[in-house]
Amino acid sequence: MASAKGRLGRLKALLEEFYVSPYRGALARARREEDDLFMLFVFAELMGVPNPAAYYTLELQPLLLERFHEWHQRQGMEHSPLDGFRCC
Amino acid sequence: MNAAVLAVLGLTMMFLGYRFYSKFIAEKIYQLDPDFVTPAHAQRDDIDYLPTNRVVLWGHHFTAVAGAAPIIGPGIAVIWGWLPAFLWVVVGTMFFAGVHDFGAVWASVRNKAQSVGSLTGDVVSPRARTLFMVVVFVLLMMVNAVFGVAISDAFQETPSSVIPAWTAVFVAVIIGVLIYRMHVPILWPTIVGTVILYAVIYLGEAVPISLSAGSFGLPVGAQWILILFLYAGIASLLPVWLLLQPRDYINGIQLFVGLGLLYGAVLIANPTIVAPAINPDLPASAPPLFPLLFVTIACGAISGFHGLVGSGTTSKQLDKETDARFVGYLGSTGEGALALVAIIAATAGFASLADWRLMYSEFGNGGMAAFVQGGARVVASGVGISEQFAATLLTVMAVLFAGTTMDAGVRLQRYIVQEWGTIYRIPVLQNGYVATGIAVTACLLLAFGAGGSSGEGGMLIWPLFGTTNQLLAGLTLMVISVMLVKLGRPVRYTLIPMVFITVAALGAALVQLTTLYREGGILYPLLWIDVVIVLLAILVMLEASSAFLRERRAAAAGAAA
């Protein structure tokens, strides 16, 4: 019984890997692009871009600050674009 | 000739190729090192670079390279008789495709998992890299047109396949949503989805769909082609997780089920091959066997497309360098097995030689239709299901392979157009919808431009598609050979296949040049595509010779010093 369960588990893992691995990179990139857009929403106001959702996104800033550095570098800004926030 | 004997003989030879020849190549030529730190470890990011179980990786390589092409090509090429097609598939898989796929994975792993395209620039010359990109673009344009026409033909010949084939799209979307959005464990969606796919074949039989001729003033084939490209355009814009990923997964399962079913049926039914070993009564339209056989069967013997897969994704996930033999060589052997069973279906699945001759009354006939018609007869007598059900099942399988290639092909073309937009600073080209529109229009022009309003151009360019694919294989083998020269290792095992396949491709392009001129005159669009291919083939040869001479001189100078 236990070995049957083990075999089923291995089959599931194999199918899972077969499903996920060819598209792991493409999905991760797509997710990152969505995240980048979200970061832009959160930090737009601080960079002088009017953002109608600022009231809601303001409180998300502390949660996203850790990822801020990688994000601004991906957007082509070598150093932090915010005067009041120097991460590098 | 007995089909079961041919199947066992072919599979045994391919297995021996893996067992002994690939071992020799692995040990003496590529000299695989079990302690070499592969890019999957050295550059591990758990996204692109991730050590993966070699069986899973083999499954990916195999299912990514095996599609509709190893069914259509052999289905056309048996017009010369079953023996030349059989020999080319078996010997080609053993000594050409295996070494090529295995070599592409090895070369990429030894160079930080770079793609063959970028390796061409580093190892051969920047000019060769440009050449490589042009060949890839021409190849993509043709593959979409070819498969669009192939599916359109299949829908017309087997109207019972229409509902099951389109249902597969909805099943894929539901699986995608269940797994990606609702985090349902994979096993149940897999089982239920597969059962639905096969069950809906009964529905297809009960409700066959045929379009009426003359709607919108177009013949039926043209209507299907327009619908298919409209679908491919939309599908290529959807998120990968929603359609492409689950469709690919379903196809993988279908491939294993289909291969098991076909080989099982061949062994049980033991049909006799009715086609001649070498066809003495070729129709007047048939071109000479050499060099056309070697481009008509591209996928299934050696295919340049495999190098893109091997060096694009496979090499980034290879756990140990020694796995390259199992994944690369055996992956191409899997495709050879599909091509072999396609040959058997298209030669043993007919009641008599007269029936077979009726199918092959002209060059370019057969293809998917011969595979379906012949395969259905074999499966029906072997497994005991009705011939009509088997025909629908095989059509759906082949259509799904071709359809997924179209989705991915249009998507890749869109990326290329968007990249041009970025490089040449043309913002409008960077728009996804505009880029997709351009990609789809280019394919439609090709499909219709060559064959008039029926849109039959796709099948006319099958040999041109094969020629381009083989040129790409020649380029990949050139990169591997130059690497071997640099390392001071024997080069003949990759150089001989490279010279053979490039010469065959150039020869085929020249033969088609005269055929196309006779058929359509100086203004025939396919003639000019062929002219481009001839030029590309000549440039590939010049680049290869210059790279070899340079490296040989460098090696001689190094030895003298």
Side-chain angles (χ1 to χ4, degrees):
Chain A
M1 190 66 186
S3 70
K5 260 191 176 171
R7 272 201 293 273
L8 190 67
R10 273 202 299 279
L11 175 69
K12 277 183 190 167
L14 208 69
L15 285 176
E16 188 89 38
E17 189 62 22
F18 187 64
Y19 187 85
V20 171
S21 66
Y23 291 97
R24 195 182 275 118
L27 289 179
R29 273 187 288 276
R31 194 184 288 266
R32 200 171 63 188
E33 275 170 25
E34 276 180 23
D35 281 354
D36 285 351
L37 186 68
F38 184 65
M39 293 287 277
L40 181 68
F41 265 115
V42 175
F43 291 98
E45 197 85 354
L46 287 178
M47 292 189 289
V49 182
N51 176 9
Y55 177 77
Y56 304 97
T57 56
L58 194 65
E59 58 187 279
L60 294 171
Q61 277 186 27
L63 300 172
L64 297 171
L65 279 176
E66 277 183 25
R67 282 146 59 184
F68 179 76
H69 175 67
E70 283 177 5
W71 173 73
H72 76 68
Q73 287 201 321
R74 271 205 302 277
Q75 305 313 304
M77 294 174 273
E78 201 178 329
H79 298 291
S80 168
L82 306 179
D83 288 337
F85 183 71
R86 289 263 164 231
C87 56
C88 50
Chain B
M1 182 71 181
N2 187 300
V5 172
L6 197 67
V8 172
L9 186 69
L11 289 178
T12 308
M13 283 171 74
M14 285 193 256
F15 176 74
L16 290 177
Y18 170 68
R19 180 73 186 78
F20 296 106
Y21 189 60
S22 77
K23 188 167 186 282
F24 164 74
I25 296 289
E27 286 172 1
K28 305 287 181 208
I29 310 301
Y30 298 152
Q31 297 180 14
L32 304 186
D33 175 5
D35 298 323
F36 180 78
V37 182
T38 61
H41 291 281
Q43 295 156 246
R44 180 170 180 159
D45 61 2
D46 287 347
I47 297 172
D48 291 318
Y49 299 85
L50 180 69
T52 303
N53 177 310
R54 70 176 191 162
V55 178
V56 172
L57 203 53
W58 169 80
H60 283 313
H61 188 83
F62 169 39
T63 52
V65 299
I71 291 173
I72 299 172
I76 294 175
V78 292
I79 194 165
W80 288 291
W82 62 262
L83 188 60
F86 171 79
L87 287 177
W88 171 230
V89 163
V90 173
V91 175
T93 298
M94 289 167 74
F95 297 104
F96 288 65
V99 175
H100 170 274
D101 288 25
F102 179 9
V105 176
W106 167 75
S108 176
V109 162
R110 282 279 161 174
N111 288 280
K112 298 181 179 167
Q114 284 187 75
S115 69
V116 181
S118 105
L119 265 179
T120 312
D122 288 357
V123 177
V124 184
S125 69
R127 206 170 40 229
R129 177 168 41 206
T130 311
L131 202 60
F132 187 91
M133 292 306 171
V134 175
V135 174
V136 169
F137 183 76
V138 175
L139 186 68
L140 274 178
M141 207 167 76
M142 284 200 247
V143 79
N144 291 331
V146 163
F147 284 160
V149 177
I151 299 174
S152 158
D153 289 349
F155 280 164
Q156 290 172 74
E157 273 154 32
T158 319
S160 53
S161 68
V162 174
I163 288 185
W166 289 104
T167 304
V169 175
F170 293 102
V171 169
V173 168
I174 293 167
I175 290 181
V177 171
L178 285 175
I179 292 175
Y180 189 79
R181 283 281 188 231
M182 301 171 81
H183 306 290
V184 175
I186 198 161
L187 194 60
W188 284 112
T190 304
I191 294 171
V192 175
T194 310
V195 169
I196 291 176
L197 270 183
Y198 289 111
V200 91
I201 289 175
Y202 287 105
L203 182 66
E205 285 198 354
V207 192
I209 305 275
S210 298
L211 299 180
S212 31
S215 305
F216 307 106
L218 291 169
V220 174
Q223 292 175 43
W224 273 125
I225 289 170
L226 286 175
I227 293 171
L228 284 163
F229 274 105
L230 181 69
Y231 155 77
I234 295 170
S236 71
L237 285 164
L238 293 176
V240 164
W241 64 264
L242 187 61
L243 183 60
L244 194 58
Q245 185 181 26
R247 261 196 88 145
D248 235 7
Y249 177 69
I250 290 174
N251 279 0
I253 291 170
Q254 290 251 348
L255 180 58
F256 288 112
V257 173
L259 270 179
L261 193 69
L262 282 162
Y263 272 106
V266 168
L267 294 177
I268 296 167
N270 209 0
T272 302
I273 294 179
V274 297
I278 293 173
N279 190 359
D281 299 315
L282 284 169
S285 59
L289 183 148
F290 184 85
L292 261 292
L293 170 70
F294 304 95
V295 299
T296 305
I297 301 181
C299 304
I302 178 170
S303 156
F305 174 70
H306 298 195
L308 301 180
V309 176
S311 66
T313 50
T314 311
S315 62
K316 293 183 176 72
Q317 299 175 25
L318 205 70
D319 185 17
K320 289 182 188 150
E321 194 186 33
T322 41
D323 290 348
R325 178 184 163 215
F326 182 84
V327 175
Y329 195 98
L330 208 56
S332 63
T333 305
E335 195 189 49
L338 179 60
L340 176 61
V341 87
I343 291 173
I344 292 172
T347 54
F350 292 83
S352 65
L353 179 59
D355 280 359
W356 184 83
R357 287 210 182 284
L358 208 61
M359 172 65 81
Y360 288 96
S361 57
E362 235 184 288
F363 182 72
N365 286 3
M368 204 189 276
F371 168 77
V372 169
Q373 195 180 320
R377 205 178 138 85
V378 174
V379 170
S381 56
V383 186
I385 53 177
S386 82
E387 210 169 307
Q388 178 56 39
F389 184 87
T392 310
L393 191 139
L394 292 178
T395 306
V396 172
M397 186 177 112
V399 161
L400 288 188
F401 289 162
T404 308
T405 309
M406 272 179 80
D407 291 0
V410 173
R411 190 181 288 268
L412 285 174
Q413 274 193 309
R414 163 164 65 94
Y415 292 156
I416 292 177
V417 175
Q418 284 180 303
E419 213 172 298
W420 286 342
T422 312
I423 294 170
Y424 301 112
R425 294 171 198 273
I426 309 172
V428 70
L429 292 186
Q430 293 169 33
N431 181 296
Y433 297 102
V434 174
T436 303
I438 291 172
V440 168
T441 309
C443 298
L444 279 174
L445 282 177
L446 201 58
F448 285 101
S453 63
S454 68
E456 291 300 310
M459 278 306 127
L460 291 174
I461 55 172
W462 180 265
L464 287 182
F465 157 68
T467 306
T468 320
N469 203 6
Q470 302 306 51
L471 272 184
L472 198 62
L475 271 165
T476 304
L477 285 168
M478 173 172 82
V479 171
I480 300 166
S481 303
V482 172
M483 271 181 71
L484 290 173
V485 172
K486 279 185 175 176
L487 292 166
R489 296 189 196 156
V491 78
R492 69 183 83 100
Y493 304 97
T494 52
L495 189 63
I496 293 172
M498 185 233 145
V499 171
F500 180 85
I501 208 64
T502 314
V503 168
L506 178 62
L510 289 172
V511 169
Q512 290 167 89
L513 212 53
T514 51
T515 316
L516 293 170
Y517 179 72
R518 261 204 313 270
E519 220 159 88
I522 196 80
L523 292 176
Y524 198 31
L526 286 188
L527 180 78
W528 290 100
I529 292 179
D530 197 20
V531 168
V532 172
I533 293 170
V534 169
L535 290 175
L536 287 172
I538 293 170
L539 286 172
V540 167
M541 285 177 163
L542 290 175
E543 278 300 323
S545 333
S546 124
F548 270 107
L549 291 174
R550 189 185 66 225
E551 293 307 328
R552 288 247 173 206
R553 270 198 296 270

Short mmCIF file of all heavy atoms in Angstrom, two decimals, chain B residues 485-523:
data_model
loop_
_atom_site.label_atom_id
_atom_site.label_comp_id
_atom_site.label_asym_id
_atom_site.label_seq_id
_atom_site.Cartn_x
_atom_site.Cartn_y
_atom_site.Cartn_z
N VAL B 485 37.40 21.04 -33.88
CA VAL B 485 38.72 21.37 -34.45
C VAL B 485 39.54 22.14 -33.43
O VAL B 485 40.71 21.86 -33.19
CB VAL B 485 38.56 22.21 -35.75
CG1 VAL B 485 39.92 22.70 -36.23
CG2 VAL B 485 37.90 21.40 -36.83
N LYS B 486 38.90 23.10 -32.79
CA LYS B 486 39.61 23.91 -31.78
C LYS B 486 40.14 23.05 -30.64
O LYS B 486 41.17 23.32 -30.06
CB LYS B 486 38.65 24.97 -31.21
CG LYS B 486 38.49 26.18 -32.09
CD LYS B 486 37.64 27.22 -31.41
CE LYS B 486 37.57 28.48 -32.25
NZ LYS B 486 36.70 29.49 -31.70
N LEU B 487 39.37 22.00 -30.30
CA LEU B 487 39.77 21.12 -29.20
C LEU B 487 40.73 20.03 -29.65
O LEU B 487 41.18 19.21 -28.84
CB LEU B 487 38.52 20.47 -28.57
CG LEU B 487 37.58 21.42 -27.82
CD1 LEU B 487 36.24 20.74 -27.55
CD2 LEU B 487 38.21 21.88 -26.50
N GLY B 488 41.01 20.00 -30.96
CA GLY B 488 41.94 19.00 -31.49
C GLY B 488 41.36 17.59 -31.50
O GLY B 488 42.10 16.62 -31.35
N ARG B 489 40.07 17.47 -31.66
CA ARG B 489 39.44 16.14 -31.65
C ARG B 489 38.99 15.74 -33.06
O ARG B 489 38.84 16.61 -33.93
CB ARG B 489 38.22 16.16 -30.73
CG ARG B 489 38.63 16.41 -29.30
CD ARG B 489 37.47 16.22 -28.37
NE ARG B 489 37.80 16.81 -27.09
CZ ARG B 489 36.90 17.23 -26.21
NH1 ARG B 489 35.62 17.11 -26.49
NH2 ARG B 489 37.27 17.75 -25.07
N PRO B 490 38.76 14.43 -33.28
CA PRO B 490 38.30 14.00 -34.61
C PRO B 490 37.02 14.72 -35.00
O PRO B 490 36.11 14.86 -34.18
CB PRO B 490 38.04 12.51 -34.43
CG PRO B 490 38.78 12.12 -33.21
CD PRO B 490 38.87 13.32 -32.33
N VAL B 491 36.99 15.15 -36.24
CA VAL B 491 35.89 16.02 -36.65
C VAL B 491 34.96 15.36 -37.67
O VAL B 491 33.88 15.85 -37.96
CB VAL B 491 36.49 17.35 -37.17
CG1 VAL B 491 37.03 17.18 -38.58
CG2 VAL B 491 35.52 18.49 -37.09
N ARG B 492 35.40 14.18 -38.18
CA ARG B 492 34.64 13.59 -39.31
C ARG B 492 33.22 13.18 -38.94
O ARG B 492 32.34 13.15 -39.78
CB ARG B 492 35.41 12.41 -39.91
CG ARG B 492 35.50 11.18 -39.04
CD ARG B 492 36.34 10.11 -39.73
NE ARG B 492 37.76 10.37 -39.50
CZ ARG B 492 38.50 9.72 -38.58
NH1 ARG B 492 37.95 8.80 -37.84
NH2 ARG B 492 39.77 9.99 -38.42
N TYR B 493 32.99 12.87 -37.65
CA TYR B 493 31.66 12.37 -37.25
C TYR B 493 30.58 13.45 -37.31
O TYR B 493 29.41 13.16 -37.36
CB TYR B 493 31.73 11.75 -35.84
CG TYR B 493 32.78 10.68 -35.78
CD1 TYR B 493 34.06 10.97 -35.29
CD2 TYR B 493 32.53 9.41 -36.27
CE1 TYR B 493 35.05 10.01 -35.28
CE2 TYR B 493 33.51 8.44 -36.26
CZ TYR B 493 34.76 8.74 -35.77
OH TYR B 493 35.74 7.79 -35.77
N THR B 494 30.99 14.69 -37.26
CA THR B 494 30.02 15.77 -37.42
C THR B 494 30.20 16.47 -38.78
O THR B 494 29.24 17.00 -39.33
CB THR B 494 30.18 16.84 -36.30
OG1 THR B 494 31.56 17.24 -36.26
CG2 THR B 494 29.77 16.28 -34.96
N LEU B 495 31.44 16.42 -39.29
CA LEU B 495 31.72 17.11 -40.56
C LEU B 495 31.05 16.40 -41.74
O LEU B 495 30.47 17.06 -42.62
CB LEU B 495 33.23 17.21 -40.78
CG LEU B 495 33.65 18.08 -41.95
CD1 LEU B 495 33.24 19.52 -41.72
CD2 LEU B 495 35.16 18.01 -42.17
N ILE B 496 31.12 15.06 -41.76
CA ILE B 496 30.51 14.33 -42.89
C ILE B 496 28.99 14.57 -42.94
O ILE B 496 28.47 14.94 -43.99
CB ILE B 496 30.87 12.82 -42.84
CG1 ILE B 496 32.37 12.66 -43.09
CG2 ILE B 496 30.07 12.02 -43.87
CD1 ILE B 496 32.91 11.26 -42.88
N PRO B 497 28.28 14.42 -41.81
CA PRO B 497 26.85 14.76 -41.85
C PRO B 497 26.61 16.21 -42.29
O PRO B 497 25.68 16.51 -43.03
CB PRO B 497 26.37 14.55 -40.42
CG PRO B 497 27.32 13.59 -39.84
CD PRO B 497 28.64 13.84 -40.49
N MET B 498 27.49 17.12 -41.83
CA MET B 498 27.29 18.54 -42.17
C MET B 498 27.42 18.76 -43.68
O MET B 498 26.56 19.40 -44.30
CB MET B 498 28.33 19.39 -41.43
CG MET B 498 28.14 20.87 -41.61
SD MET B 498 29.65 21.62 -42.19
CE MET B 498 29.02 22.86 -43.26
N VAL B 499 28.48 18.20 -44.27
CA VAL B 499 28.70 18.39 -45.71
C VAL B 499 27.54 17.73 -46.48
O VAL B 499 26.97 18.33 -47.39
CB VAL B 499 30.06 17.78 -46.13
CG1 VAL B 499 30.19 17.77 -47.65
CG2 VAL B 499 31.19 18.58 -45.50
N PHE B 500 27.18 16.51 -46.07
CA PHE B 500 26.13 15.78 -46.79
C PHE B 500 24.82 16.57 -46.78
O PHE B 500 24.19 16.78 -47.81
CB PHE B 500 25.92 14.40 -46.15
CG PHE B 500 24.84 13.60 -46.84
CD1 PHE B 500 25.12 12.85 -47.97
CD2 PHE B 500 23.53 13.63 -46.36
CE1 PHE B 500 24.12 12.13 -48.61
CE2 PHE B 500 22.53 12.92 -46.99
CZ PHE B 500 22.82 12.16 -48.12
N ILE B 501 24.43 17.03 -45.59
CA ILE B 501 23.11 17.65 -45.48
C ILE B 501 23.09 19.02 -46.15
O ILE B 501 22.08 19.43 -46.73
CB ILE B 501 22.64 17.69 -44.00
CG1 ILE B 501 21.13 17.64 -43.92
CG2 ILE B 501 23.15 18.87 -43.22
CD1 ILE B 501 20.51 16.40 -44.42
N THR B 502 24.21 19.74 -46.11
CA THR B 502 24.25 21.06 -46.75
C THR B 502 24.24 20.90 -48.28
O THR B 502 23.55 21.65 -48.98
CB THR B 502 25.49 21.87 -46.30
OG1 THR B 502 25.59 21.76 -44.89
CG2 THR B 502 25.38 23.32 -46.66
N VAL B 503 25.00 19.92 -48.78
CA VAL B 503 25.01 19.67 -50.23
C VAL B 503 23.61 19.24 -50.68
O VAL B 503 23.10 19.71 -51.71
CB VAL B 503 26.07 18.60 -50.59
CG1 VAL B 503 25.89 18.12 -52.03
CG2 VAL B 503 27.47 19.17 -50.41
N ALA B 504 22.97 18.35 -49.89
CA ALA B 504 21.62 17.90 -50.24
C ALA B 504 20.65 19.08 -50.26
O ALA B 504 19.80 19.19 -51.15
CB ALA B 504 21.14 16.84 -49.25
N ALA B 505 20.79 19.98 -49.28
CA ALA B 505 19.90 21.14 -49.20
C ALA B 505 20.11 22.05 -50.41
O ALA B 505 19.14 22.50 -51.04
CB ALA B 505 20.13 21.90 -47.91
N LEU B 506 21.38 22.31 -50.75
CA LEU B 506 21.66 23.17 -51.90
C LEU B 506 21.14 22.52 -53.18
O LEU B 506 20.50 23.18 -54.02
CB LEU B 506 23.17 23.44 -52.01
CG LEU B 506 23.61 24.28 -53.20
CD1 LEU B 506 23.00 25.67 -53.15
CD2 LEU B 506 25.13 24.41 -53.28
N GLY B 507 21.41 21.21 -53.32
CA GLY B 507 20.95 20.49 -54.51
C GLY B 507 19.43 20.55 -54.62
O GLY B 507 18.88 20.81 -55.70
N ALA B 508 18.74 20.34 -53.49
CA ALA B 508 17.28 20.36 -53.49
C ALA B 508 16.76 21.74 -53.88
O ALA B 508 15.81 21.87 -54.64
CB ALA B 508 16.74 19.95 -52.12
N ALA B 509 17.42 22.77 -53.36
CA ALA B 509 16.99 24.14 -53.68
C ALA B 509 17.16 24.41 -55.17
O ALA B 509 16.32 25.05 -55.80
CB ALA B 509 17.77 25.14 -52.85
N LEU B 510 18.26 23.89 -55.77
CA LEU B 510 18.50 24.11 -57.20
C LEU B 510 17.48 23.35 -58.05
O LEU B 510 16.96 23.88 -59.03
CB LEU B 510 19.93 23.68 -57.57
CG LEU B 510 21.04 24.60 -57.04
CD1 LEU B 510 22.41 24.00 -57.28
CD2 LEU B 510 20.95 25.98 -57.68
N VAL B 511 17.19 22.10 -57.65
CA VAL B 511 16.20 21.31 -58.40
C VAL B 511 14.85 22.02 -58.37
O VAL B 511 14.16 22.15 -59.39
CB VAL B 511 16.06 19.89 -57.79
CG1 VAL B 511 14.85 19.16 -58.38
CG2 VAL B 511 17.34 19.08 -58.04
N GLN B 512 14.50 22.53 -57.19
CA GLN B 512 13.20 23.20 -57.06
C GLN B 512 13.16 24.51 -57.83
O GLN B 512 12.10 24.96 -58.27
CB GLN B 512 12.89 23.47 -55.58
CG GLN B 512 12.60 22.19 -54.82
CD GLN B 512 12.61 22.42 -53.33
OE1 GLN B 512 11.60 22.74 -52.76
NE2 GLN B 512 13.77 22.27 -52.70
N LEU B 513 14.33 25.12 -58.00
CA LEU B 513 14.41 26.37 -58.77
C LEU B 513 13.86 26.15 -60.18
O LEU B 513 13.03 26.93 -60.67
CB LEU B 513 15.88 26.80 -58.84
CG LEU B 513 16.22 28.27 -58.89
CD1 LEU B 513 15.58 29.03 -57.75
CD2 LEU B 513 17.74 28.46 -58.84
N THR B 514 14.31 25.07 -60.82
CA THR B 514 13.84 24.81 -62.20
C THR B 514 12.36 24.41 -62.18
O THR B 514 11.60 24.86 -63.04
CB THR B 514 14.68 23.69 -62.86
OG1 THR B 514 14.71 22.60 -61.97
CG2 THR B 514 16.08 24.14 -63.17
N THR B 515 11.96 23.60 -61.19
CA THR B 515 10.56 23.18 -61.12
C THR B 515 9.65 24.39 -60.95
O THR B 515 8.63 24.53 -61.62
CB THR B 515 10.35 22.22 -59.91
OG1 THR B 515 11.41 21.30 -59.87
CG2 THR B 515 9.03 21.49 -60.00
N LEU B 516 10.02 25.26 -60.02
CA LEU B 516 9.16 26.41 -59.73
C LEU B 516 9.12 27.39 -60.91
O LEU B 516 8.08 27.99 -61.18
CB LEU B 516 9.65 27.13 -58.46
CG LEU B 516 9.51 26.32 -57.16
CD1 LEU B 516 10.24 26.99 -56.01
CD2 LEU B 516 8.04 26.15 -56.80
N TYR B 517 10.26 27.52 -61.60
CA TYR B 517 10.28 28.41 -62.78
C TYR B 517 9.34 27.86 -63.85
O TYR B 517 8.57 28.61 -64.46
CB TYR B 517 11.71 28.53 -63.32
CG TYR B 517 11.79 29.40 -64.55
CD1 TYR B 517 11.63 30.79 -64.44
CD2 TYR B 517 12.00 28.85 -65.81
CE1 TYR B 517 11.67 31.59 -65.57
CE2 TYR B 517 12.05 29.65 -66.93
CZ TYR B 517 11.88 31.03 -66.81
OH TYR B 517 11.92 31.81 -67.92
N ARG B 518 9.40 26.54 -64.05
CA ARG B 518 8.52 25.91 -65.05
C ARG B 518 7.05 26.12 -64.69
O ARG B 518 6.20 26.36 -65.52
CB ARG B 518 8.80 24.41 -65.12
CG ARG B 518 9.70 24.02 -66.29
CD ARG B 518 9.50 22.57 -66.68
NE ARG B 518 9.49 21.64 -65.57
CZ ARG B 518 10.56 21.05 -65.08
NH1 ARG B 518 11.73 21.28 -65.60
NH2 ARG B 518 10.48 20.21 -64.05
N GLU B 519 6.79 26.06 -63.36
CA GLU B 519 5.39 26.11 -62.91
C GLU B 519 4.81 27.52 -62.92
O GLU B 519 3.66 27.72 -63.31
CB GLU B 519 5.30 25.55 -61.50
CG GLU B 519 4.07 24.70 -61.30
CD GLU B 519 4.25 23.77 -60.15
OE1 GLU B 519 3.93 24.21 -59.05
OE2 GLU B 519 4.71 22.63 -60.35
N GLY B 520 5.59 28.50 -62.50
CA GLY B 520 4.99 29.82 -62.31
C GLY B 520 5.70 30.96 -63.02
O GLY B 520 5.29 32.12 -62.87
N GLY B 521 6.80 30.68 -63.69
CA GLY B 521 7.51 31.74 -64.38
C GLY B 521 8.31 32.61 -63.43
O GLY B 521 8.41 32.34 -62.23
N ILE B 522 8.82 33.70 -63.98
CA ILE B 522 9.77 34.54 -63.24
C ILE B 522 9.11 35.29 -62.08
O ILE B 522 9.77 35.69 -61.13
CB ILE B 522 10.49 35.51 -64.22
CG1 ILE B 522 11.75 36.12 -63.59
CG2 ILE B 522 9.57 36.62 -64.70
CD1 ILE B 522 12.93 35.21 -63.61
N LEU B 523 7.79 35.48 -62.14
CA LEU B 523 7.12 36.27 -61.09
C LEU B 523 6.55 35.40 -59.97
O LEU B 523 5.88 35.89 -59.07
CB LEU B 523 5.99 37.11 -61.71
CG LEU B 523 6.45 38.23 -62.64
CD1 LEU B 523 5.27 38.93 -63.27
CD2 LEU B 523 7.31 39.25 -61.89
#
